[in-house]
Amino acid sequence: MQRAVFPGSFDPLTNGHLDIIKRSAPLFDEMIIAVLNNLDKSPMFTAEERCEMIREALPSVDTSECTMLVEAFSGLTAEFARKSNATAIVRGIRAVSDYEYELRMALMNRRLEPTIETVFLMAGEEYSYVSSTLMKQVFELGGRVDGLIPGLVEEKMRAKQNR
Ligand code: PNS
């Protein structure tokens, strides 16, 4: 049984994340989408809200035989992956600019947990510029983000804005 962890902030979930989830599915039997409860940042959505929107968006993705679980976590990703009995940490790479940061994280995670490998997947080129930060910024300034984030996420962002 190959279990992977796909960690991230997911604030909010983008179609780029869903693309990585879809690409990971044939590679693993089970994947935990691990939502960081990042207390040091001030996220737009709480960890529970982020988990909820991922759960709601998952049925729109073909995850074939892979069981997808969504969990919030705090602390180290490597520690969470070990406790979850995962053998791999999945991360998406959009462009060369992601590589340096991802390499440092992968090496640190490997030092912390030598038996867990980081698996990098290349995001679809149509999402190569899509990040949660950019989506929030464009949305908050009134720009269009449809096609780049799931519709249900856009609705939740709109609800937050009007609050
Ligand atoms: O979606 P993001 O913000 O790029 O995800 C970054 C994340 C959550 C994977 C990273 O910040 C992380 O692993 N944080 C947990 C704390 C940790 O393990 N830090 C050391 C990483 S080597």
Side-chain angles (χ1 to χ4, degrees):
M1 221 282 286
Q2 296 294 328
R3 181 182 292 134
V5 163
F6 177 30
S9 302
F10 302 102
D11 186 47
L13 176 75
T14 68
N15 286 348
H17 292 129
L18 289 178
D19 180 64
I20 295 295
I21 291 169
K22 189 181 78 184
R23 289 174 195 279
S24 309
L27 306 177
F28 303 103
D29 301 302
E30 197 171 286
M31 189 160 83
I32 305 174
I33 303 164
V35 176
L36 180 68
N37 198 348
N38 30 0
L39 301 168
D40 52 335
K41 288 189 191 174
S42 33
M44 183 176 216
F45 295 99
T46 66
E48 228 7 86
E49 286 171 329
R50 285 177 270 150
C51 286
E52 202 45 52
M53 67 178 113
I54 297 170
R55 289 190 191 105
E56 281 177 42
L58 275 178
S60 68
V61 185
D62 177 13
T63 52
S64 49
E65 303 289 286
C66 181
T67 304
M68 292 286 168
L69 305 169
V70 184
E71 283 181 36
F73 79 104
S74 306
L76 290 171
T77 293
E79 176 76 4
F80 177 79
R82 183 185 59 77
K83 281 193 195 146
S84 306
N85 293 319
T87 51
I89 293 171
V90 169
R91 290 287 289 169
I93 295 219
R94 293 163 296 194
V96 177
S97 49
D98 283 339
Y99 178 73
E100 226 176 291
Y101 169 62
E102 294 296 335
L103 175 67
R104 275 187 276 127
M105 275 213 296
L107 294 177
M108 190 65 218
N109 283 332
R110 190 160 69 189
R111 186 188 166 95
L112 293 167
E113 288 300 334
T115 60
I116 302 176
E117 287 296 339
T118 296
V119 175
F120 291 123
L121 296 178
M122 305 309 137
E125 56 269 33
E126 63 273 42
Y127 304 118
S128 60
Y129 60 96
V130 175
S131 71
S132 299
T133 306
L134 195 63
M135 294 304 101
K136 280 186 284 196
Q137 193 182 92
V138 171
F139 179 83
E140 278 164 10
L141 296 172
R144 287 182 49 197
V145 287
D146 54 298
L148 304 178
I149 58 173
L152 68 95
V153 171
E154 197 173 343
E155 277 167 33
K156 287 176 199 289
M157 285 169 87
R158 192 156 295 122
K160 282 260 175 209
Q161 208 176 37
N162 295 334
R163 197 166 290 163

